[in-house]
Amino acid sequence: MAFVWARLAFFAGIISLFHAGYSAAQHRAYMRVTEQEFTSLPTDISIQGFLSLLMAMYGILYIAGDFKEIRANVQLQNKSWETVGNRPTFYTFAHRGRALSPNYSPPKATRSPLDPIDSLAAGPHHQE
Amino acid sequence: MATLDLDWEDVREQLRTWREDNTRHSEEVVDMWDYCLKHYKHKLGDERWMVEEQVVVAGLDCYRLDVAEPSLVALNDQFPGSLRVRKLKAMRLEALERFDEAMDIYDSIIRQDETNSTARKRKVSVLRGQGRITEAIKELTEYLKIFMSDSEAWQELCDLYLKEADYSKAAFCMEELILTNPHNHLFHTRYAEIKYTQGGLDNMEIARSYFSQAAKLNPNNVRALYGLFMSCTQVLSSSKMSGPKKKETQQLATWALKEISDRYSKCRTNTMDGSKILETFKSLSIMDKA
């Protein structure tokens, strides 16, 4: 509900601001036609302009969304190393997770599993 | 499958948050695309291509080539000759373990556009994917000579040094990262952990101060609190410190322990009884007094 009111205030403020500007232009044109010296705007136009500015400001504060925290470390407060330590441009795809994929077929073993462990580990893709 | 019930707009929103937060979530991205968003791609507008790129990377990460390849073809049709798409093609070759061909493509991208940092970074990952860690380190240090302010690369270098158990160099990389963002408590924790692993009284004291700083930046960082407790105990057990200083360290350890047990007693629920954890902490504190 507050959001509707804020929108209403914003639009009313903008329209009223536009109206005040138009009135000011009209006033100057009138002054020129009647060949009077232009000194200052009539008070009612200035007040209208000021009030509608305030109204539009009030409205936009609610429309623009929530404020961000000014303290620098607050946004990091809820982050864990999972996200901060993640490096998208350095992804390697030769990890064990791919064995879970339905279309992954493991490379054919050229040696039997009974061979010494070190000869298996020496293969190019056994380390991550 | 839960994703079936999801509204496609919610899915789009979720993928967007993941893209912006740089989280991995590859499996979820693939599922959400496959079960839901795939059928609404014409509604996505210009965002579609960002999503397709995300799906290609996620698909390759899960080795779901059946998901990644259609998106890659679509991207290729939309942007023929784009370097970014060419990089994705090379990433597909990487997933297929055709590392040499991928390397050739990255080299050709760099020849065409010398300022292309992603291709250079991918070359490091190619080496890492093959397990050639020392070569990857060499390549990455060359890269960092040109692009010094790339914090992601510093993180990768730190990780590679840790793989090689070269802790002092890894600690240096972490120092650089702390300089880029002194408010990040995770960097402080990580640095302290590296120093803790290195061992020795001096390093222990450094670890203690960095754990304290991390706990100060984020009081909810239980890992830092636990690290603070552990490093304090280590300092106490290994040094011949003078009276007041020793007492101070002792107090710091007790404080850290109290903070941790407070946190655990707060999150005690019906399903998870925290008393076991508290008992363990109590036994730890007895060790600390002995």
Side-chain angles (χ1 to χ4, degrees), chain B residues 117-133:
Chain B
S117 62
T118 21
R120 285 170 203 264
K121 283 155 105 173
R122 289 310 307 171
K123 276 172 79 178
V124 177
S125 325
V126 171
L127 291 171
R128 189 183 176 162
Q130 289 167 288
R132 287 148 70 183
I133 304 286

Side-chain angles (χ1 to χ4, degrees), chain A residues 73-74 77, chain B residues 181-186 188 211-221:
Chain A
N73 57 343
V74 169
Q77 210 81 284
Chain B
N181 189 356
H183 290 292
N184 194 333
H185 61 105
L186 294 162
H188 284 88
F211 276 131
S212 320
Q213 177 69 10
K216 190 178 156 194
L217 285 173
N218 181 7
N220 291 321
N221 189 343

Side-chain angles (χ1 to χ4, degrees), chain B residues 201 235-243 246:
Chain B
L201 181 59
V235 168
L236 278 174
S237 67
S238 65
S239 72
K240 313 142 213 109
M241 277 188 300
S242 56
K246 191 168 183 179

Side-chain angles (χ1 to χ4, degrees), chain B residues 52-65:
Chain B
E52 298 256 19
E53 190 184 19
Q54 189 181 11
V55 169
V56 171
V57 175
L60 293 176
D61 197 18
C62 301
Y63 206 76
R64 288 289 302 273
L65 297 179

Side-chain angles (χ1 to χ4, degrees), chain A residues 71-105 107 122-128, chain B residues 22-24 57 60-66 91 94-95 97 99 118 121-122 124-125 128-131 140 152-153 155-156 159 163 174 181 183-187 190 217-219:
Chain A
R71 281 172 296 159
N73 57 343
V74 169
Q75 274 178 308
L76 288 163
Q77 210 81 284
N78 299 321
K79 294 246 164 97
S80 69
W81 188 253
E82 279 291 290
T83 40
V84 176
N86 190 35
R87 302 173 294 272
T89 45
F90 284 108
Y91 281 173
T92 47
F93 303 125
H95 56 68
R96 59 186 174 171
R98 68 183 163 167
L100 295 170
S101 156
N103 23 22
Y104 179 70
S105 53
H125 313 309
H126 287 278
Q127 288 158 315
E128 196 214 344
Chain B
N22 277 342
T23 47
R24 200 154 182 161
V57 175
L60 293 176
D61 197 18
C62 301
Y63 206 76
R64 288 289 302 273
L65 297 179
D66 55 321
M91 281 163 90
E94 267 185 68
E97 298 194 354
F99 292 112
T118 21
K121 283 155 105 173
R122 289 310 307 171
V124 177
S125 325
R128 189 183 176 162
Q130 289 167 288
L140 193 52
E152 210 183 13
Q155 264 186 48
E156 177 76 11
D159 210 43
K163 263 194 183 314
M174 224 55 223
N181 189 356
H183 290 292
N184 194 333
H185 61 105
L186 294 162
F187 289 159
R190 190 77 168 177
L217 285 173
N218 181 7

Side-chain angles (χ1 to χ4, degrees), chain B residues 6 11 31 39 59 100 104 126 151 194-195 198 200 269 283 288:
Chain B
L6 282 176
V11 172
D31 280 347
H39 311 293
D100 292 336
D104 287 343
V126 171
S151 64
I194 294 170
K195 282 286 166 194
Q198 266 185 303
T269 56
S283 62
D288 153 47

Side-chain angles (χ1 to χ4, degrees), chain B residues 248-284:
Chain B
E248 203 177 290
T249 315
Q250 180 96 49
Q251 274 172 348
L252 198 55
T254 341
W255 174 81
L257 202 59
K258 203 185 128 275
E259 286 289 308
I260 300 169
S261 53
D262 276 359
R263 292 222 155 50
Y264 274 106
S265 53
K266 240 182 256 166
C267 61
R268 200 192 301 189
T269 56
N270 290 332
T271 46
M272 194 203 84
D273 179 28
S275 55
K276 279 257 165 59
I277 301 165
L278 292 179
E279 267 169 40
T280 321
F281 279 128
K282 261 178 208 139
S283 62
L284 273 173

